[in-house]
Structures are given as C-alpha cells and as structure tokens.
Amino acid sequence: MLKTQIIHPELLAVLAKCGHKAKILIADANYSFVTNSSPRAEIIYLNFAPGMVPSTVILEGISQVLNIESAAMMAWPEDFENTSQKDYLEILPRETPMELLTREDFYGSVRSMDTLLVVATGETRRFSNLLLTVGPVFL
C-alpha cells in the first residue's frame, strides 16, 4: 500500500512523470480544461460535483508528493476578494513565489508544452486556477 494520501492511480502515474520545471494546473470548475491546456497534458477529472473535490485538497495532496518551485494564478479585478489565493499561500511552503499573470499570459503558460497535468476540480470559487512549477529534489 502506498504511503501517500493520493490513491488515484492515473493521478499518481502522471505526477511520477513530472520532473523539474514541469507544470501542473489545478483548474477550477469554470476552466476550459480541453481548449486551454497543452495538447500533451493529461487531464484528470476530479470534478465530481460543484464543490467536490476542492482545489485546496488537491494542492495539499500534490504538495506532499512533489516539491513546488513556484506558483502562478490569473490576475483578478481589484474589487474582487480572492480567498483561494489566501488558502493556497497557507498550504504552499512559505518561500514559494506566487506570480499573478494576465489572462492571456496565464492561458499561454498553461498551453505550453511544459504543462503535463491538468487536474479538473469541482472548485466553484472564481479565479481559483493555480499553475504549479515542479521543483527539484535535493538528496
């Protein structure tokens, strides 16, 4: 039996393929998974119902399996309070840089050939898409 909290076989298989600098998108329920991702990215559908599975649960699991070098989110309007970012910053290691990208730059980053995994979640909060860059393992 694996000692990780993640037991989803396809998700584990793709995470195992993600080396340093690979990108992983944790996508909210509104994200266009197929049309706005890399053609070589594996899409894992964990969006069972609205609110299930939340993006924070996915981030917690992934951060226990892989080192995360950096994170990026799509910038949101000034009058919008993004509670997702606050939650993500509490989960990510304190030193993890978080970049805010324009909509076009965010989509461009997700469509890059470096994006190997898109996790479709049931996260209903707007502007909750999180693009992770995998970090190295130091032995």
Side-chain angles (χ1 to χ4, degrees):
M1 178 61 86
L2 297 170
K3 292 185 175 184
T4 173
Q5 292 296 311
I6 299 174
I7 60 171
H8 191 286
E10 287 122 358
L11 182 56
L12 282 171
V14 181
L15 288 173
K17 295 177 186 177
C18 292
H20 185 215
K21 298 295 184 185
K23 296 194 182 301
I24 298 168
L25 175 65
I26 301 174
D28 67 29
N30 292 306
Y31 196 83
S32 49
F33 313 115
V34 176
T35 58
N36 276 313
S37 61
S38 170
R40 78 180 211 175
E42 295 277 341
I43 302 174
I44 304 293
Y45 293 95
L46 299 181
N47 51 346
F48 180 72
M52 295 174 60
V53 172
S55 58
T56 51
V57 170
I58 305 302
L59 178 58
E60 286 169 351
I62 289 174
S63 64
Q64 291 172 7
V65 176
L66 296 174
N67 288 333
I68 299 171
E69 184 172 282
S70 62
M73 294 181 75
M74 185 185 301
W76 51 87
E78 284 186 31
D79 61 346
F80 180 79
E81 181 183 354
N82 194 325
T83 58
S84 296
Q85 183 196 37
K86 179 182 174 286
D87 291 346
Y88 296 156
L89 290 173
E90 288 177 5
I91 296 167
L92 291 167
R94 191 169 303 227
E95 65 278 359
T96 307
M98 167 91 58
E99 185 177 10
L100 298 180
L101 302 173
T102 66
R103 179 180 302 270
E104 296 78 22
D105 288 343
F106 187 84
Y107 286 147
S109 291
V110 175
R111 285 190 209 113
S112 87
M113 295 306 279
D114 292 333
T115 303
L116 298 183
L117 174 61
V118 173
V119 181
T121 73
E123 181 64 62
T124 57
R125 293 181 289 178
R126 291 177 50 224
F127 296 101
S128 292
N129 301 302
L130 181 66
L131 185 62
L132 304 172
T133 300
V134 175
V137 174
F138 299 103
L139 302 174

